[in-house]
Amino acid sequence: MTRIRELDALRGFAVCGIMLVNTWQHTRVPNAPATSVDLVVDQLFQSRFYPIFSALFGISFLLFLRGNSRWALLSRLFWLYCFGLAQGLFYEGEVLTDYALWGAVALLPASFIPGGWAQLALGVAGLAWGLLAKGGGSWLIPGLLLVGMGLWRLNPPRSLLLPGFAASALVSALLGYVAFTTGDWNAYSVAALAGALAYSLGLLLVLRPGLSAVLEPLGRMALTNYVTGTALIVLTLPLVSADPTRWAVVGLAAVTIAAQALGSRWWLARYRYGPLEWVWRCLTWFRRVPNRLESGRDHNRPLPDSGLP
């Protein structure tokens, strides 16, 4: 089974957005006046990228099960949880443990249900519960995981990309305006979800080989890039927080993403998996998994469990 390049590109796109938003969130000074950077990130990027990553995680769950047992998947989720615990030692707000727990609690039972409409309905119900009962945030993750699983099984036609993009962008803009003028959190959350869908569909509409070649390596090394990105945020926190203009947030995110894009491309020209992705696979299977490529830039060679980073 070869890698699905559009999924890798979408995951890489989500990694870029998450880096920007995480840098912005963790370097905010309490009670400081909002700058133009704060307003742009808050209205256009905040809460727009983790929904993409969450839906892709639900898809990856199914792709893993194509050639592996559910026991192997539970092992994989267990070690992801351990990665999250380790990251939590230095980074407040890690979400790897959430993905691992909800993967076991929500996705695993749902994987026994045939078809895709049931998972999609459960996902929408989960989003409503997370939004209305829990106030959104990370509580939307289980619903998003199930939505991703359901959509992958339903396999909607590509002809829906453009109308789907137009409709979701319109909903995001309208509800975003309502949230901005009224401060309604539910409107903001739904606007963010619609924005995540618009960004995803928009990227698929414009995705070309050049752009894909930049985003795919970032997506294939999503775990490594996420963890190293959060480590950089922690290390540079005093410096970035001291900038009253908040442009240091954009600078740090841009430099980190550029370095990760170049580093990921260089690494994957020599190895099948990123450093943490390789460790994750070795732990999952309790054996050393071959990693070094034997020849050249072979990005399309068959890879096991290729839907996961």
Side-chain angles (χ1 to χ4, degrees):
M1 180 169 60
T2 57
R3 298 200 67 96
I4 302 174
R5 291 186 156 188
E6 287 184 333
L7 296 185
D8 284 333
L10 275 171
R11 190 180 294 109
F13 176 67
V15 166
C16 294
I18 287 170
M19 180 63 200
L20 172 62
V21 172
N22 282 353
T23 306
W24 175 75
Q25 285 180 333
H26 286 83
T27 57
R28 298 188 73 177
V29 178
N31 301 319
T35 67
S36 58
V37 172
D38 293 319
L39 291 174
V40 169
V41 174
D42 185 48
Q43 295 302 313
L44 296 181
F45 301 112
Q46 163 82 328
S47 300
R48 266 76 170 173
F49 293 97
Y50 82 86
I52 302 174
F53 200 88
S54 300
L56 289 171
F57 192 89
I59 294 172
S60 298
F61 194 99
L62 287 178
L63 294 176
F64 186 91
L65 288 178
R66 283 181 177 179
N68 301 284
S69 70
R70 287 179 173 82
W71 288 112
L73 185 54
L74 281 174
S75 173
R76 191 167 179 81
L77 293 174
F78 169 77
W79 290 112
L80 181 64
Y81 185 82
C82 292
F83 276 120
L85 291 179
Q87 187 189 29
L89 296 176
F90 67 88
Y91 182 73
E92 183 181 356
E94 66 80 26
V95 296
L96 297 180
T97 52
D98 292 310
Y99 285 116
L101 286 173
W102 287 117
V105 172
L107 288 178
L108 188 61
S111 68
F112 289 97
I113 304 173
W117 287 109
Q119 288 91 345
L120 186 58
L122 286 171
V124 172
L127 290 176
W129 169 78
L131 182 62
L132 300 176
K134 295 296 185 177
S138 62
W139 290 103
L140 298 177
I141 289 178
L144 291 164
L145 298 178
L146 290 166
V147 166
M149 174 182 279
L151 287 175
W152 185 254
R153 281 186 164 172
L154 291 172
N155 190 25
R158 292 188 66 88
S159 60
L160 294 179
L161 284 179
L162 183 56
F165 166 75
S168 55
L170 179 61
V171 170
S172 181
L174 291 176
L175 290 180
Y177 176 77
V178 171
F180 183 75
T181 55
T182 66
D184 187 288
W185 176 250
N186 287 338
Y188 181 90
S189 297
V190 177
L193 291 174
L197 179 58
Y199 283 158
S200 300
L201 299 179
L203 179 65
L204 292 176
L205 283 169
V206 303
L207 194 62
R208 298 294 183 272
L211 178 59
S212 188
V214 174
L215 294 177
E216 283 178 45
L218 286 166
R220 288 177 59 184
M221 288 178 49
L223 179 62
T224 296
N225 289 327
Y226 171 66
V227 173
T228 56
T230 57
L232 278 172
I233 292 171
V234 172
L235 290 173
T236 60
L237 187 62
L239 181 63
V240 179
S241 299
D243 174 25
T245 71
R246 302 286 282 154
W247 278 102
V249 168
V250 180
L252 176 61
V255 170
T256 302
I257 291 167
Q260 289 179 337
L262 293 172
S264 298
R265 187 173 179 85
W266 180 90
W267 183 273
L268 292 172
R270 294 157 178 80
Y271 299 95
R272 294 180 176 89
Y273 314 112
L276 291 183
E277 286 77 12
W278 177 70
V279 172
W280 192 12
R281 280 171 168 78
C282 291
L283 291 171
T284 297
W285 301 110
F286 293 102
R287 62 178 175 83
R288 188 179 185 279
V289 176
N291 196 22
R292 182 177 288 275
L293 292 174
E294 297 179 358
S295 60
R297 293 178 174 271
D298 185 6
H299 295 297
N300 297 313
R301 64 181 300 170
L303 300 171
D305 40 280
S306 62
L308 288 163

